Amino acid sequence: MLSCNSDLQTDHSDASATNLASDQLHLFEIHPGPHENTLGPMPEPDQADQLIAAGMNIFVDLLGDSALEKDLGECLWNVVNIFHRRIAWLDRLLDDNEQQQRRLTAEQDGSEIKSVELERSLATGELIIERRDMFETFREIACDHYELLTASAWRPRNGSLTNRRTLTAAMIDSRDFLAAKRKAEIEPLMPSGPRIAFTGGLECNDHVRIWEALDAVKSKHPDMVLIHGGSPKGAEKIAACWADNRGVSQIVFKPDWTRFRNAAPFKRNDQMLDALPIGVIVFPGSGISQNLADKARKAGIPVWRFGKDGT
């Protein structure tokens, strides 16, 4: 039977309950508070360099000079790709955080609860940026070792190799200038007037109801601008044809599948709402249409439903 040396035992007889709880939290590395920001510091780049190099050399030792040597390059490529995919995921997480900040900013009513929620969202966004930047550093280190071990440069099969930490001030100033210039060129060309968002499924082909609904809205807003997703068929195609026939200006928001993949339609919905429509017309469709309707309702934008389960 194991016995404990009395010299190693800790006497808690005089310790308070708070001290005991604090000791336990410290022992098991439990950090109090709801924020991720209470986590430890970021890894040091020099240490990361050594560990990533050691990890990649494990594959060289394991597969090199063996019947599996032909698979070595692909395995090393995937080591770098682990960091690349994580960066893409964090970028999407940052986009979600940005949308949350916009919503919380719009909901500010002077109360402490709303203020704290916004502060937490801002802090979370800052942490996501730090995490993304660190993974970009990891990817850059891994790329260098990949090139050293394979004598070829690493290239992603999806996305780009943009590293925001290596952008110079001149490049940032140049990008800001070009963005401002492009906005100044495009803004006057954007159609003016109250914007009406429209959504519906690919299988919805009720031409009569769609035209009637749009005509009713146009009678109240003669200078309306139609916003839709530009689907090649179904309700949105019918709405686009209606706009052409009625001489109504259109703004088309197509999903960016390359950047957002499966989340592209939902990110597109966010962009449509960022255009500040005064109302959303919803015809029967998939969960994507329902997502737009739900987000519009939460943002305080009127939603008009037609067809199934609607007027």
Side-chain angles (χ1 to χ4, degrees), residues 51-64 72 76 149:
L51 294 175
I52 291 173
M56 297 181 77
N57 280 316
I58 289 176
F59 286 95
V60 176
D61 295 339
L62 179 65
L63 305 179
L72 177 59
L76 294 176
L149 294 171

Side-chain angles (χ1 to χ4, degrees), residues 11-26:
D11 183 9
H12 294 295
S13 59
D14 296 331
S16 68
T18 301
N19 286 336
L20 288 174
S22 178
D23 290 342
Q24 291 297 310
L25 289 173
H26 180 73

Side-chain angles (χ1 to χ4, degrees), residues 2 18 32 248 255 282 291 308:
L2 288 174
T18 301
V248 172
V282 181
N291 174 264
K308 185 186 297 184

Side-chain angles (χ1 to χ4, degrees), residues 274-296:
D274 284 344
L276 302 178
I278 64 170
V280 179
I281 298 175
V282 181
F283 271 80
S286 64
I288 297 171
S289 298
Q290 183 61 45
N291 174 264
L292 178 63
D294 291 342
K295 288 180 176 178

Side-chain angles (χ1 to χ4, degrees), residues 222-276:
D223 57 341
M224 67 173 281
V225 176
L226 182 67
I227 301 175
H228 59 85
S231 297
K233 64 177 183 178
E236 292 178 358
K237 177 64 175 178
I238 296 171
C241 292
W242 171 88
D244 289 336
N245 183 271
R246 297 291 194 259
V248 172
S249 299
Q250 306 177 54
I251 303 176
V252 180
F253 290 87
K254 292 189 177 182
D256 188 347
W257 297 101
T258 301
R259 181 180 181 188
F260 298 116
R261 300 189 181 181
N262 293 338
F266 304 103
K267 295 295 184 183
R268 185 273 315 278
N269 287 350
D270 294 335
Q271 293 171 352
M272 290 176 67
L273 296 178
D274 284 344
L276 302 178

